[in-house]
mmCIF file of all heavy atoms in Angstrom:
data_model
loop_
_atom_site.group_PDB
_atom_site.id
_atom_site.type_symbol
_atom_site.label_atom_id
_atom_site.label_comp_id
_atom_site.label_asym_id
_atom_site.label_seq_id
_atom_site.Cartn_x
_atom_site.Cartn_y
_atom_site.Cartn_z
ATOM 1 N N CYS J 400 189.574 28.546 201.385
ATOM 2 C CA CYS J 400 189.147 29.116 202.667
ATOM 3 C C CYS J 400 188.426 28.089 203.545
ATOM 4 O O CYS J 400 187.750 28.448 204.522
ATOM 5 C CB CYS J 400 188.221 30.312 202.442
ATOM 6 S SG CYS J 400 188.938 31.621 201.447
ATOM 7 N N GLU J 401 188.565 26.841 203.256
ATOM 8 C CA GLU J 401 187.846 25.824 204.029
ATOM 9 C C GLU J 401 188.581 25.559 205.359
ATOM 10 O O GLU J 401 189.776 25.286 205.375
ATOM 11 C CB GLU J 401 187.763 24.552 203.204
ATOM 12 C CG GLU J 401 186.920 23.479 203.857
ATOM 13 C CD GLU J 401 186.811 22.247 202.991
ATOM 14 O OE1 GLU J 401 187.387 22.232 201.870
ATOM 15 O OE2 GLU J 401 186.133 21.311 203.398
ATOM 16 N N LEU J 402 187.892 25.693 206.481
ATOM 17 C CA LEU J 402 188.445 25.452 207.823
ATOM 18 C C LEU J 402 187.964 24.093 208.325
ATOM 19 O O LEU J 402 186.765 23.859 208.493
ATOM 20 C CB LEU J 402 188.001 26.552 208.792
ATOM 21 C CG LEU J 402 188.544 27.965 208.506
ATOM 22 C CD1 LEU J 402 187.950 28.958 209.477
ATOM 23 C CD2 LEU J 402 190.057 27.983 208.607
ATOM 24 N N VAL J 403 188.936 23.214 208.543
ATOM 25 C CA VAL J 403 188.615 21.860 209.043
ATOM 26 C C VAL J 403 188.934 21.744 210.536
ATOM 27 O O VAL J 403 188.150 21.180 211.319
ATOM 28 C CB VAL J 403 189.391 20.802 208.254
ATOM 29 C CG1 VAL J 403 189.032 19.403 208.725
ATOM 30 C CG2 VAL J 403 189.104 20.948 206.769
ATOM 31 N N ASP J 404 190.039 22.361 210.889
ATOM 32 C CA ASP J 404 190.477 22.296 212.296
ATOM 33 C C ASP J 404 190.221 23.640 212.954
ATOM 34 O O ASP J 404 190.643 24.683 212.433
ATOM 35 C CB ASP J 404 191.968 21.954 212.343
ATOM 36 C CG ASP J 404 192.438 21.640 213.776
ATOM 37 O OD1 ASP J 404 191.575 21.654 214.665
ATOM 38 O OD2 ASP J 404 193.639 21.428 213.908
ATOM 39 N N PRO J 405 189.563 23.645 214.138
ATOM 40 C CA PRO J 405 189.326 24.941 214.811
ATOM 41 C C PRO J 405 190.605 25.624 215.253
ATOM 42 O O PRO J 405 190.630 26.845 215.419
ATOM 43 C CB PRO J 405 188.441 24.579 216.004
ATOM 44 C CG PRO J 405 187.869 23.246 215.685
ATOM 45 C CD PRO J 405 188.834 22.534 214.805
ATOM 46 N N ALA J 406 191.636 24.915 215.370
ATOM 47 C CA ALA J 406 192.900 25.500 215.823
ATOM 48 C C ALA J 406 193.764 25.929 214.661
ATOM 49 O O ALA J 406 194.936 26.290 214.859
ATOM 50 C CB ALA J 406 193.645 24.501 216.709
ATOM 51 N N ASP J 407 193.226 25.883 213.456
ATOM 52 C CA ASP J 407 194.002 26.234 212.270
ATOM 53 C C ASP J 407 194.051 27.757 212.156
ATOM 54 O O ASP J 407 193.048 28.410 211.870
ATOM 55 C CB ASP J 407 193.355 25.624 211.034
ATOM 56 C CG ASP J 407 194.245 25.786 209.810
ATOM 57 O OD1 ASP J 407 195.347 26.338 209.960
ATOM 58 O OD2 ASP J 407 193.801 25.417 208.691
ATOM 59 N N ASP J 408 195.228 28.361 212.355
ATOM 60 C CA ASP J 408 195.404 29.819 212.233
ATOM 61 C C ASP J 408 196.070 30.222 210.916
ATOM 62 O O ASP J 408 196.055 31.404 210.545
ATOM 63 C CB ASP J 408 196.269 30.339 213.393
ATOM 64 C CG ASP J 408 195.578 30.125 214.742
ATOM 65 O OD1 ASP J 408 194.306 30.075 214.708
ATOM 66 O OD2 ASP J 408 196.278 30.042 215.737
ATOM 67 N N GLN J 409 196.644 29.312 210.196
ATOM 68 C CA GLN J 409 197.385 29.650 208.967
ATOM 69 C C GLN J 409 196.444 29.970 207.795
ATOM 70 O O GLN J 409 196.724 30.848 206.983
ATOM 71 C CB GLN J 409 198.304 28.477 208.593
ATOM 72 C CG GLN J 409 199.380 28.222 209.617
ATOM 73 C CD GLN J 409 200.283 27.056 209.216
ATOM 74 O OE1 GLN J 409 200.088 26.424 208.179
ATOM 75 N NE2 GLN J 409 201.287 26.768 210.085
ATOM 76 N N THR J 410 195.366 29.253 207.745
ATOM 77 C CA THR J 410 194.444 29.486 206.617
ATOM 78 C C THR J 410 193.892 30.894 206.664
ATOM 79 O O THR J 410 193.860 31.615 205.651
ATOM 80 C CB THR J 410 193.295 28.470 206.662
ATOM 81 O OG1 THR J 410 193.869 27.144 206.620
ATOM 82 C CG2 THR J 410 192.341 28.663 205.493
ATOM 83 N N LEU J 411 193.448 31.312 207.823
ATOM 84 C CA LEU J 411 192.923 32.672 207.953
ATOM 85 C C LEU J 411 194.021 33.698 207.722
ATOM 86 O O LEU J 411 193.777 34.756 207.122
ATOM 87 C CB LEU J 411 192.301 32.867 209.333
ATOM 88 C CG LEU J 411 191.024 32.039 209.607
ATOM 89 C CD1 LEU J 411 190.566 32.241 211.042
ATOM 90 C CD2 LEU J 411 189.922 32.468 208.650
ATOM 91 N N GLN J 412 195.242 33.378 208.190
ATOM 92 C CA GLN J 412 196.339 34.316 208.008
ATOM 93 C C GLN J 412 196.672 34.477 206.533
ATOM 94 O O GLN J 412 196.876 35.585 206.038
ATOM 95 C CB GLN J 412 197.578 33.826 208.783
ATOM 96 C CG GLN J 412 198.709 34.830 208.814
ATOM 97 C CD GLN J 412 198.358 36.085 209.610
ATOM 98 O OE1 GLN J 412 197.547 36.019 210.547
ATOM 99 N NE2 GLN J 412 198.956 37.203 209.239
#
Side-chain angles (χ1 to χ4, degrees):
C400 303
E401 186 178 359
L402 294 176
V403 182
D404 190 3
D407 189 2
D408 296 334
Q409 296 180 359
T410 302
L411 293 176
Q412 188 67 29

